Structure formats: structure tokens, C-alpha cells
Amino acid sequence: MKRLPNPRELEAYRAEVSAARPPDRPAIAICNTGCRAYGSLKLFEVFRKAIDTAGLKAKVEVRPTGCHGFCECGPLVVIFPRKIFYQRVKAEDVEEVIEKTVKRGEVIERLCYTDPVTEKRYTYEDDVPFYKHQMRLLLGQNNRLDPTSIDDYIALGGYGALAKALARKPEAVLEEVKKANLRGRGGGGFPAGDKWETCRNAPGDVKYVICNADEGDPGAFMDRAVLEGNPHSVIEGMIIGSYAIGSHEGFVYVRNEYPLAVEQVDIALRQAEALGLLGKDILGSGHDFTVKINRGGGAFVCGESTALMASIEGRVGEPRAKHIHTVVQGLWDRPSNLNNVETWANVPLILGRGAEWFRSIGTEGSKGTKIFSLVGKVINTGLVEAPMGMTLRRIIFDIGGGIRDGRKFKAVQTGGPSGGCLPADRLDIPVDFDELWKHGSMMGSGGMIVMDDRTCMVDVARYFLGFLKFESCGKCTSCREGLRHLHRLVQEICDGQGSEDTIRLIEELSDTVEAASLCALGTTAVNPVRSTLKYFRSEYEAHVRDKKCPAKVCKALITFSIDPEKCTGCMVCAKRCPQECITGEKKKPHVIDQSKCIKCGVCNDVCKFESVTVQ
Amino acid sequence: MVLKLQIDGVTVEAEKGESLIDVAWRHGFEIPSLCHHEAVAPYGSCRLCLVEITRKGRKKITTSCNYEVLPDIEVRTSTPEVERHRRMILELLLAEAPASEPLRKLAKRLGVEATRLKPHEGNECIRCGLCVRICNEIVGVNAIGFHGRGDRKETAPPYKEPSELCIGCGACVYACPTNCIRLVEKDGMREIVRWGRKLPIATDENGRPLAPRFQLRYFQELVDLPKDFYKKAPGDRGID
């Protein structure tokens, strides 16, 4: 590869790589990141070999891509240029896809997506309800490029925003981002432009730009999908940021549990360097910038900016007080501007298409789109990108397809482990930074866990408190000890040992944990217990007053028994019971020995006659 | 640079960069704290030193040890809200280290006699890390550190084995706010019980016990003292 000395050469290079990639060129795009879990690496190989064998190598591209988002239906394959959408594709389907769809343009109905509720079948990706209601500004490129190919990215217009930015004064670039009102996607929602400006104006010659890719929320994979699927978009954003801020050194702090993200970013950095898009005198602008990768060691708290910086410095990942902000005194006490993966990925869009365009999307206070990882008891799990302000209802029901197994919606937890649980009567709130906060939850980095009527909200609070207790760094008494006791007190309620006093103590303690803890992990850790107490108090009360778990989840408060009227004596439950505590003769009602029962619920799961009752 | 701020309605002067709790203490205001010591960098672990700070019309509750003073802030060392949180933190601490006598005394003085939370029987350490900071910043030997995180966090020597770096100086013993690090001298040996470090005690020319040989050698090298410095009786050492 040759270095691109100026924007003109970049455009010439773009013309060259675009010519080799005409938009009507047939391509088979196979998710090779998330869908790996379904064996898509093998699927890719089978496709590649089959295309070779069919003598189509020169005509049809077999493209390994990043995550397409609809994880529920993987492995996903999209056939370009028509964007025919095939789901749950297996190696055995490859021959047929090539014969029929690639060669003859026929659609294989079997592989198309059929809506499980309406039973309607869809041929094209853009028509599938999961995609149709989204606005995929950041994720949309994922199936159009191979993340290990900078040429793919450039052909789609990549690094054009950088060239545009470098043609302007750093101050003008800063103004553009400020005007766009881009708010931090990592959870804080702080205006990125203001952050950049403070960092730019902070005294000191050496400044750092950091990308926070320490995504650690259970069930969240937004940043992972962007880094694995389109790493150049993040790098381009960082270079633009470094130019606006006046920084020459950058870090991507990515958790080591994301080996593929580490690999893809590493490849992308080398490619950008080879083309002169990183390094000295980028595109002849005189601006120098290099990026290093730092791998996190698995501590959730290292997603907190000061802990992250301590970790890069080689110290223990513990937050410190931020009375002096990191943009003034951060990494090695130098001005350091940290933004999250998704925030950086938005920057090229803003510089490329303008702040006015960006501002046209979203709500008054929150602009642009937000990526959510939609998981839990929703039909279509996956990665969703929606404009700010879309209601929870539309995200969960229109995009997510509603609740699994015909159950009822009960709550949605937004914002990761320290987010709040919102009930059905909050489904119509528009999702943006301020609205979620107002209702006792938060945007966080975009986790969205949907719960159905079989979920016990006390148990949910217990789970998240357990996670946060484990992940607290242990520095503050209020967080370390406070969460330990909160978790124990909620556990007591689940165990049927709680009283009204327990609830009161939980409330009192929550107040102090929130007010007295140093970093956001501690101050927001009480959200799950607080919000469930606010919206589902009766469930707590049932646990402590009646010693009942209404959702029938808390083992200490439920019993399994067999209804002799309904039991046919099929013996299936007796065979499957791990405790061997179900007895009875063939074709006669069975009985559970309560003294041995561990309440695992296997009998209930396997009974075909609904004869197991849970009380 | 001298700046002015208000504490409980009284205008006081402070140097830029000073910690708020140090300024308050110097001017005679009482703010409870267990983990702060003016000799080492503030850490903000025990959370007892919470105060209410009003700056540019905005109020917040924060710890005063790791708050660098700013001009024109108004500080209130005790408000009903601050007191309420302090009492809860004391309950947390009492549950964490119920065996610590100094902690129980402090709690009692601040009006907390008992905790409603389940106590960790027999424990005396509140994991404030003052021992770690003293060993690192003042003594400079780094013989102890933190292990683990969250509620599994503990202070210990590396690998939780008696550290060969420990000179047995006892600075950690002196600094510990809950008295959970003990120093025992018996049969010519000094033991820092918590760290499992046992060292022979050197004597002067008259056979009087001084301190562990290790510690003396460390001091000798650190400030370049004559080799026989500690052999001599204090009056004969050539310094007054």
C-alpha cells in the first residue's frame, strides 16, 4: 500500500477501489462475528469454496462481515445487490443458494424470514420488521463491508469525513460537533463537543484521546459489534477528535474478553497507518496522530473513566474523585478526552453530513441514533439502532416483535446493571437520555432487557445487586459494604426471611450508597432495587407479608405439587427428577416428596398434562 | 496562592491545592474520618468525612478529604442529610469491623451505638488502605498492597505471604485507625502480626534493644548514616 499524501490522492484511491466494487456487483455477505457462535466461520468457508467450484470467483464476492444485528435468526446471510435476506443458513443450504439465488435470482422461501406472529414471509432485508423500523446509521454498513478491508470502508466513503475535517480549522471541527449536540453514548450523556473543548483549552502540550471499549454490562454487545464490524468508523472518529482537540496520541481500551474486537482494531490500525491516515502528517495536514491498543483485564469498574486511565497507567483500576476533570488532568495527569466506541463512530457521520443533518434526528435534548442490545424475553433479540425518542413500546413490540411464548410484558430494564426497571405503564416514554432518567432508569450504554410475567422483580434486583457487589472496586465503604448488605437484605426477602423493616432498611441504605459513593458504579448501583421498589412494591410486600413470590420464582417461597386429577401417571416427571423424589405407580397419580424437592421445576417443564402446580 | 472559603459560616484561608479536610481541621472544625492522614495522599475510602459544599449556587455532598479547596465555596460540616449518611456509614463500618475498639468509640461519640446490619464477627479491618499508603508513600518499601476487589478486597503482602520487603518499622501499626495491625516484641524478635513478618531486633553496644536490624539498615542506607551509628548510645551518635 502507498501512503496517501493528500486528500486528492485519497479521492483518487477511492475512485480506484470503488471501481473494483461496483454497487450492482453480486455479493454474499455472511456475518462472521456474532454468528460465529452458530458456526458461521465454517459457513463462510463452504460458501467460498462453492463459489470457487462454480467458477464464479471473479463475479461474486463472498464477504465475511460484522454483525447484522438480528442475532435471534443467525447465521445471517444477505445476498447483494438485491439484499435478499436469508436466516438460519446451514452449510447444507449453500449449494442451493448458489444455484438458485446467485445464479438464477430465485428466492428460496425456506430460508426467508417468517414473522412468527403474523406468519408473513419477507424476502428483502429492508422489509423485515426487525430492520424496517430501525435507523441504522452506524450499523447499516456492517453487512456492506469486510471489517478487515480498509478498501471496503474507503469505497463506501470512509475517511472522507476526515479529509473534510482536516480541510477546516480544528476550532471549526469542534464547533460542528458542539452544534450537533452529540452526547456521550457510554452512559453519561455528557455533550462530547463541550468535553473536547475543555480538553482543547486545558493547559499542556501533551493530550490524549481515548476510546472506551470496556463494555461490561451483562447482555450488552453494542460496542463489540461496532468494533468488530466496522473498526475504521471508530478510528476515523478518533482521528477527527484528535485534530479538533490537538492530541497526537490515542488509546483504544478494549476488554480482553473481546479477542476479535482486539484483532479487528489491530488490523484496522495497521491499514490506516500504511495508508498514512494515521501517523505523521495525516493527508498532508501537518496533523500527527497514533493509536495504541490497551487490553482490559476483565474488571467492570475499568469502564469508569478514571479507573480506565489508572489501568492504562498500569495501576489498579480504581476510580478517583473527579473534582478536577480528566479532560484537564487525566491519563498521566495530562488532559485526556475519553469517549465511548459508539460516540466516536458518530463523529464521521457528523463531519461528513453536517451537524444540521445530525440535529434533524432525535429529540430536543438527545440527537442522532442509539444502539441497543435488545435481549431477554423478547421475540427478536439482537442489536437495534433507533433514532432517539422512539418509544420503548415501538422498540420492544415493533422491532422486537413483542414478548416470547405469548406471555405478557412485565418490565424492561434499560441502561445495564445499574439501570432501572420500567413497568408497562412507562412503555410510551420516548427513549432518550433525559426521559429515562426522569423515570428512574437511564440510557446507560444501551442495554435493554425485556422481562415477562414470569419474572420476579425482587429476584431481578437481587441478581443485579449481586453483579455490582462483585464488580465494585471495593474502595468506598458505602459501595463495597453498602452493596454487600443490600444484596444480602434482598436475598433475605427472596428467602422469605424479610420483613417490613427489611424494606425500610433497604431504602435507607440505598440513599446512603447513592449519596456517599465516589464513582458512578456506586451512585447508580441502587437503581435496580430502587426502581423495582417504586414500580413493583407490591411484589416485595407479598414476599415479606404473605411469604409468597407472585411470579413463582423465589424457591424458598414456592412448592411444587402434582394435581391428582390431572396426573396420568406417565412417569416422565419421576424419571427426570434429579432428586428422585417423585413416586407413584404407572397410570396412577404421582406425589412429590417435599422434604427432598429442590424446586428445580423440571417436573413442571416436562409434564405434558399441566398437572404440576406451583404455589 | 492563598484563597478564601467559608466553613460553617466562618471565612478561612487556605493554600491552593490543599485538601478541604486538612484546612477544616487546621481551623478547628470537627469532621470525622478514619482513612485520612495528612502525611499521605487522600484516598476517600471510609466516606465519613462527607460535607455539604455549595459552589456557584450548586449544592453537593462529597467527601472532604479528596476535595481540593476552591475559592468562595461554602462548606457545611454538619447538616441533617450529612449526619444521616454518616450514621449509616458508621453502621456499615460497625458491621464490617465490629471487633475494633477505636471504631466503636468513634461511633458512640457520633451517636451510633449499634448497627442494624449483620456484623462480620471478629473482624477489625475496614480496608481503608491507610497502612498501604503509609508503607508506600512514607516508608517507601511497598511491603503491602490490596488484593482482590469489591467485598473480597483485603490488605496483605504480595501473594499473602510474609513479605521480605517489610522492614518491621511498624508505621502501619501506628497509622491503622482501627488498631487491627499489631506489633509484638518478645524474645529479641519483633513481629508484625497481621503480615506474618518476624524480625530479630538489633541492640546497641550496651545490649539495649533498638529495632529490627532490617529497619536500621534501611534507614542507614536511606540517609547515608555511618555504619556503627546505631551501635552507639543515642548520646554518642554525633548528632544533637
Side-chain angles (χ1 to χ4, degrees), chain A residues 171-427:
Chain A
E171 293 86 349
V173 175
L174 192 76
E175 271 316 307
E176 196 74 27
V177 176
K178 274 180 77 175
K179 213 163 79 187
N181 193 17
L182 171 66
R183 292 174 69 175
R185 273 20 179 189
F190 191 81
D194 293 352
K195 208 178 200 178
W196 290 18
E197 189 172 40
T198 319
C199 193
R200 180 182 168 78
N201 294 337
D205 295 333
V206 180
K207 290 171 185 177
Y208 300 108
V209 158
I210 302 168
C211 170
N212 184 351
D214 192 55
E215 182 175 59
D217 298 1
F221 49 107
M222 297 79 56
D223 296 343
R224 177 183 201 159
V226 174
L227 272 190
E228 288 180 352
N230 197 355
H232 284 289
S233 66
V234 180
I235 294 168
E236 187 179 358
M238 288 179 74
I239 306 170
I240 295 171
S242 74
Y243 176 69
I245 290 162
S247 156
H248 307 295
E249 267 180 87
F251 293 89
V252 177
Y253 187 91
V254 51
R255 64 199 300 238
N256 205 29
E257 294 94 325
Y258 282 180
L260 186 60
V262 175
E263 197 183 314
Q264 311 285 61
V265 175
D266 189 40
I267 293 170
L269 288 175
R270 282 164 208 248
Q271 290 174 338
E273 236 163 58
L275 280 179
L277 297 166
L278 275 173
K280 295 242 173 264
D281 192 17
I282 296 167
L283 292 175
S285 64
H287 178 60
D288 307 336
F289 186 58
T290 53
V291 177
K292 288 197 189 98
I293 298 176
N294 237 275
R295 288 175 298 166
F300 177 72
V301 72
C302 284
E304 197 279 342
S305 60
T306 56
L308 185 150
M309 290 176 200
S311 174
I312 294 182
E313 289 175 14
R315 294 185 290 117
V316 174
E318 272 180 10
R320 62 159 177 80
K322 280 195 274 195
H323 302 302
I324 299 171
H325 294 295
T326 50
V327 275
V328 177
Q329 231 175 68
L331 189 56
W332 292 296
D333 285 339
R334 287 166 170 154
S336 307
N337 184 92
L338 175 140
N339 286 117
N340 142 284
V341 170
E342 199 182 325
T343 315
W344 287 121
N346 268 295
V347 173
L349 289 177
I350 293 168
L351 268 295
R353 295 162 83 165
E356 280 308 321
W357 165 81
F358 191 79
R359 285 178 67 85
S360 69
I361 305 158
T363 61
E364 184 60 36
S366 309
K367 302 295 181 193
T369 60
K370 178 76 193 81
I371 306 177
F372 299 99
S373 62
L374 188 62
V375 296
K377 297 298 163 74
V378 66
I379 293 174
N380 304 329
T381 57
L383 273 194
V384 168
E385 185 177 348
M388 295 277 188
M390 189 181 261
T391 62
L392 283 168
R393 189 185 300 281
R394 286 201 61 203
I395 294 174
I396 297 164
F397 290 87
D398 293 352
I399 297 172
I403 311 301
R404 252 164 216 273
D405 310 325
R407 308 293 309 196
K408 244 183 87 191
F409 171 89
K410 182 169 185 177
V412 58
Q413 200 216 21
T414 70
S418 24
C421 298
L422 299 169
D425 67 6
R426 307 291 148 131
L427 274 173

Side-chain angles (χ1 to χ4, degrees), chain A residues 70-220:
Chain A
F70 201 176
C71 308
E72 180 68 32
C73 294
L76 301 176
V77 175
V78 177
I79 317 283
F80 284 84
R82 287 162 64 199
K83 288 183 90 178
I84 295 168
F85 178 74
Y86 286 158
Q87 42 99 55
R88 301 184 210 274
V89 183
K90 295 185 198 69
E92 302 89 85
D93 301 320
V94 169
E95 283 296 322
E96 199 184 341
V97 171
I98 292 174
E99 272 312 306
K100 288 190 179 161
T101 312
V102 176
K103 284 190 183 166
R104 304 206 293 268
E106 290 169 23
V107 173
I108 305 165
E109 293 186 354
R110 171 172 52 86
L111 295 175
C112 288
Y113 171 74
T114 306
D115 189 312
V117 179
T118 61
E119 296 191 354
K120 197 174 165 216
R121 198 176 48 241
Y122 298 90
T123 306
Y124 304 105
E125 187 191 70
D126 297 337
D127 297 336
V128 174
F130 176 79
Y131 291 108
K132 197 178 149 187
H133 302 287
Q134 295 190 42
M135 187 187 262
R136 296 169 69 82
L137 301 177
L138 300 166
L139 293 174
Q141 281 192 335
N142 269 21
N143 62 20
R144 297 176 67 201
L145 58 81
D146 171 355
T148 62
S149 162
I150 193 168
D151 291 353
D152 275 9
Y153 183 69
I154 290 176
L156 290 173
Y159 291 104
L162 172 65
K164 264 190 181 176
L166 293 177
R168 301 167 74 176
K169 285 208 165 79
E171 293 86 349
V173 175
L174 192 76
E175 271 316 307
E176 196 74 27
V177 176
K178 274 180 77 175
K179 213 163 79 187
N181 193 17
L182 171 66
R183 292 174 69 175
R185 273 20 179 189
F190 191 81
D194 293 352
K195 208 178 200 178
W196 290 18
E197 189 172 40
T198 319
C199 193
R200 180 182 168 78
N201 294 337
D205 295 333
V206 180
K207 290 171 185 177
Y208 300 108
V209 158
I210 302 168
C211 170
N212 184 351
D214 192 55
E215 182 175 59
D217 298 1

Side-chain angles (χ1 to χ4, degrees), chain A residues 327-522:
Chain A
V327 275
V328 177
Q329 231 175 68
L331 189 56
W332 292 296
D333 285 339
R334 287 166 170 154
S336 307
N337 184 92
L338 175 140
N339 286 117
N340 142 284
V341 170
E342 199 182 325
T343 315
W344 287 121
N346 268 295
V347 173
L349 289 177
I350 293 168
L351 268 295
R353 295 162 83 165
E356 280 308 321
W357 165 81
F358 191 79
R359 285 178 67 85
S360 69
I361 305 158
T363 61
E364 184 60 36
S366 309
K367 302 295 181 193
T369 60
K370 178 76 193 81
I371 306 177
F372 299 99
S373 62
L374 188 62
V375 296
K377 297 298 163 74
V378 66
I379 293 174
N380 304 329
T381 57
L383 273 194
V384 168
E385 185 177 348
M388 295 277 188
M390 189 181 261
T391 62
L392 283 168
R393 189 185 300 281
R394 286 201 61 203
I395 294 174
I396 297 164
F397 290 87
D398 293 352
I399 297 172
I403 311 301
R404 252 164 216 273
D405 310 325
R407 308 293 309 196
K408 244 183 87 191
F409 171 89
K410 182 169 185 177
V412 58
Q413 200 216 21
T414 70
S418 24
C421 298
L422 299 169
D425 67 6
R426 307 291 148 131
L427 274 173
D428 291 309
I429 64 170
V431 176
D432 74 6
F433 287 105
D434 312 309
E435 281 293 318
L436 287 174
W437 195 254
K438 226 189 278 171
H439 292 274
S441 188
M442 60 187 204
M443 182 74 96
S445 56
M448 209 173 259
I449 303 176
V450 179
M451 302 166 201
D452 68 10
D453 54 350
R454 284 176 296 185
T455 314
C456 167
M457 301 316 288
V458 187
D459 183 59
V460 166
R462 184 196 58 83
Y463 169 80
F464 286 113
L465 283 169
F467 175 85
L468 293 163
K469 170 189 92 150
F470 187 81
E471 292 295 349
S472 159
C473 81
K475 178 176 183 166
C476 299
T477 304
S478 46
C479 177
R480 179 190 67 237
E481 296 304 308
L483 294 181
R484 184 165 74 87
H485 287 287
L486 277 177
H487 179 248
R488 201 181 45 75
L489 292 167
V490 175
Q491 179 76 56
E492 269 179 21
I493 295 180
C494 291
D495 291 343
Q497 313 285 320
S499 66
E500 308 264 349
D501 285 345
T502 318
I503 298 181
R504 268 193 295 277
L505 187 52
I506 287 172
E507 286 175 317
E508 252 185 79
L509 188 49
S510 299
D511 271 0
T512 298
V513 173
E514 183 188 18
S517 298
L518 187 151
C519 82
L521 190 152

Side-chain angles (χ1 to χ4, degrees), chain A residues 297-301 316 318-321 323-324 329 469-482 484-485 488-489 492 505 508-509 511-513 515-519, chain B residues 42-47 50 53 55 60-63 66-68 70 81 84-86 88-89 91-93 95-96 116-120 126-128 146 148-153:
Chain A
F300 177 72
V301 72
V316 174
E318 272 180 10
R320 62 159 177 80
H323 302 302
I324 299 171
Q329 231 175 68
K469 170 189 92 150
F470 187 81
E471 292 295 349
S472 159
C473 81
K475 178 176 183 166
C476 299
T477 304
S478 46
C479 177
R480 179 190 67 237
E481 296 304 308
R484 184 165 74 87
H485 287 287
R488 201 181 45 75
L489 292 167
E492 269 179 21
L505 187 52
E508 252 185 79
L509 188 49
D511 271 0
T512 298
V513 173
S517 298
L518 187 151
C519 82
Chain B
Y43 185 57
S45 164
C46 78
R47 316 308 285 174
L50 289 177
I53 297 174
R55 183 174 175 235
K60 67 173 173 186
I61 288 186
T62 187
T63 44
N66 51 10
Y67 189 95
E68 274 185 28
L70 290 168
E81 209 185 343
R84 180 163 61 87
H85 295 311
R86 257 186 215 158
M88 183 52 91
I89 290 163
E91 283 199 57
L92 286 167
L93 289 166
E96 183 181 20
R116 289 167 288 172
L117 302 159
K118 195 179 165 199
H120 181 177
I126 56 162
R127 298 176 267 196
C128 70
F146 283 117
R149 64 164 183 262
D151 58 350
R152 287 99 54 224
K153 186 173 192 161

